[in-house]
Amino acid sequence: MNKTTLSIIKADIGSLGGHIKPSTPLFKKVEEFIEKEGKGIVSDYFVSHTGDDMAILFSHKHGIGSEEVHKLAWDAFLAGTEVAKSQGLYGAGQDLLKDSFSGNIRGMGPAVAEMEFVERPNEPFLFFAADKTDPGAYNLPLYLMFADPMYNSGLILSPNMAKGFKFVIMDVNHTEGDRIIELNAPEELYDIAALLRDNERFVVESVWSRETGEIAAVVSTTRLHNIAGKYTGKDDPVMLVRVQGPFPATGEALAPFNIGHYVAGFMRGSHTGPLMPVKMNSSVSYFDGPPVVCALGFCVHNGKLTEPADAFDHPYWDYIRAKVSRKATEIREQGFSGAAMLPYSELEYGGIVQKMQKLGPKFYIREKAE
Ligand code: F6R
Ligand code: MG
Ligand code: MG
């Protein structure tokens, strides 16, 4: 069968004024590079940024993990990095953690989410890109859009989703290999919830239709600190979700983002902040955040992408953005205290470890009064 592959490959390769957004020359360079060098390799592409991350969406025929496609993205990011360096952009080449390309861009820094399928006669899908957060940020939205009839009315109303969906979940703390579990909704809903509550450890990698066996969603699961051994940036995840028919309707897939749920990230990748749905090519600002996510709706036909529909560019989402701004302000009011800052194991900067080492010897055990 003639299959189409969608690949999102994204990286932070430098930005303006700190970690706000890429410069226009950098953006243009990446786009021009793909336009020129992508001929004969990919069927189509779309370049956008979310906060400081450049994301390239490719449509192609080479399947998942294609060396050609990954190298094209890597080389485009290298070209963009040259511009970033020449302009003195902050964090130039930040997410390119290896010196030379080694066949697959996974494990080299950039985030990757890919799916391969036989195109339906009309094939709508959503592209998500988030900044200042990590892949677990999609856990709750995916649970709600694929397993909860409170958000996905199709689970009740459509005969195409009656059997539910399979969740493939990864233990991202296991660095020796991919530690995976497959669980079915609705039968194993409580087990799925028990894992997905822990956004920093268990991350949805993909979701599959149990009606058709088809891929429904994929998430990038990179943990940069597992590659680099130290903080080099938050993981800023991307995601693809097929919509309509046997999959959630577009509106059902978008609905969970009206919660503005609290996720890990925000300033220095070390805080808790609400996830704000934003328009395409948005920047970040307040306290290096709040964490943001954009959603672009495309159709792909014979490998060709339509223009995107900017899904969060609608008056309804202005109302949500105001709510999320309030939530962001509220949690920031408590500064470093308790839930506002991530637990010790998730703090992305080593400074606190040094502090604890310094303070350790100063502690003493008080002698018991007899
Ligand atoms: C979070 C992020 C920023 C930086 C912060 C400090 O993902 O990118 O919040 O952590 O601006 O940046 P550095 O350590 O580069 O000075
Ligand atoms: Mg960054
Ligand atoms: Mg980023």
Side-chain angles (χ1 to χ4, degrees):
M1 270 306 230
N2 190 9
K3 289 189 173 178
T4 296
T5 307
L6 297 177
S7 303
I8 313 177
I9 307 185
K10 78 99 229 171
D12 177 354
I13 50 172
S15 40
L16 299 171
H19 292 273
I20 293 180
K21 60 186 269 197
S23 69
T24 305
L26 184 164
F27 191 102
K28 282 200 177 133
K29 184 68 187 183
V30 170
E31 212 168 33
E32 280 163 18
F33 189 94
I34 305 286
E35 173 66 28
K36 188 154 165 268
E37 305 297 330
K39 287 207 167 65
I41 301 177
V42 294
S43 316
D44 212 346
Y45 70 92
F46 185 80
V47 179
S48 61
H49 79 84
T50 304
D52 57 13
D53 294 294
M54 292 290 300
I56 314 169
L57 168 66
F58 294 111
S59 159
H60 61 93
K61 297 283 173 200
H62 301 282
I64 288 166
S66 154
E67 180 165 350
E68 263 184 302
V69 174
H70 285 206
K71 184 160 191 321
L72 176 63
W74 180 259
D75 290 343
F77 289 143
L78 283 181
T81 298
E82 283 314 306
V83 174
K85 283 184 179 158
S86 73
Q87 288 192 288
L89 296 193
Y90 192 67
Q94 181 189 278
D95 284 356
L96 309 185
L97 301 180
K98 305 278 156 140
D99 292 332
S100 56
F101 184 76
S102 60
N104 190 312
I105 206 165
R106 271 181 206 278
M108 300 182 70
V112 186
E114 300 183 285
M115 52 164 63
E116 187 185 29
F117 50 79
V118 177
E119 278 180 21
R120 295 172 283 170
N122 42 59
E123 184 61 61
F125 69 92
L126 289 168
F127 157 110
F128 291 91
D131 189 29
K132 306 296 181 239
T133 186
D134 60 19
Y138 294 128
N139 278 1
L140 181 62
L142 284 168
Y143 175 87
L144 298 175
M145 76 174 85
F146 284 104
D148 188 343
M150 294 285 283
Y151 285 79
N152 181 346
S153 62
L155 295 171
I156 306 173
L157 302 177
S158 164
N160 297 328
M161 283 187 269
K163 287 192 188 141
F165 292 90
K166 178 178 80 179
F167 285 70
V168 179
I169 298 168
M170 185 187 280
D171 174 357
V172 291
N173 278 3
H174 189 85
T175 47
E176 295 82 47
D178 291 350
R179 187 164 181 259
I180 299 292
I181 190 168
E182 300 185 9
L183 294 169
N184 285 323
E187 298 92 311
E188 296 170 297
L189 214 50
Y190 296 167
D191 295 332
I192 294 171
L195 296 180
L196 297 191
R197 59 158 287 282
D198 189 349
N199 292 331
E200 269 42 76
R201 172 146 188 211
F202 299 107
V203 170
V204 179
E205 180 191 62
S206 57
V207 182
W208 300 76
S209 162
R210 295 173 69 201
E211 288 286 343
T212 67
E214 282 191 285
I215 184 79
V218 283
V219 179
S220 61
T221 50
T222 331
R223 294 224 65 185
L224 286 170
H225 74 212
N226 290 347
I227 302 172
K230 60 176 172 28
Y231 183 65
T232 57
K234 205 68 187 166
D235 307 314
D236 304 341
V238 289
M239 171 165 83
L240 287 164
V241 178
R242 295 171 79 190
V243 287
Q244 307 293 146
F247 308 116
T250 306
E252 289 164 344
L254 298 173
F257 291 92
N258 84 345
I259 300 169
H261 65 301
Y262 286 109
V263 297
F266 223 159
M267 174 59 73
R268 297 182 186 274
S270 302
H271 292 81
T272 300
L275 186 63
M276 179 182 280
V278 292
K279 298 175 193 176
M280 181 169 72
N281 298 337
S282 288
S283 58
V284 293
S285 170
Y286 170 56
F287 201 59
D288 282 5
V292 291
V293 60
C294 80
L296 308 180
F298 291 89
C299 291
V300 57
H301 190 58
N302 298 328
K304 286 282 163 206
L305 296 168
T306 58
E307 69 196 90
D310 190 351
F312 293 139
D313 184 4
H314 182 278
Y316 174 77
W317 297 101
D318 292 336
Y319 159 73
I320 297 301
R321 283 188 273 274
K323 173 181 96 165
V324 174
S325 295
R326 248 189 339 266
K327 290 181 72 165
T329 306
E330 277 164 19
I331 193 150
R332 284 311 318 137
E333 280 169 358
Q334 69 177 65
F336 60 78
S337 181
M341 200 181 263
L342 294 181
Y344 196 77
S345 58
E346 290 297 326
L347 292 178
E348 300 284 7
Y349 280 71
I352 203 140
V353 177
Q354 290 166 15
K355 270 191 189 57
M356 295 307 280
Q357 280 164 356
K358 196 182 83 191
L359 295 176
K362 292 189 176 181
F363 277 92
Y364 62 92
I365 309 293
R366 180 177 291 142
E367 292 196 9
K368 277 198 191 126
E370 290 303 319

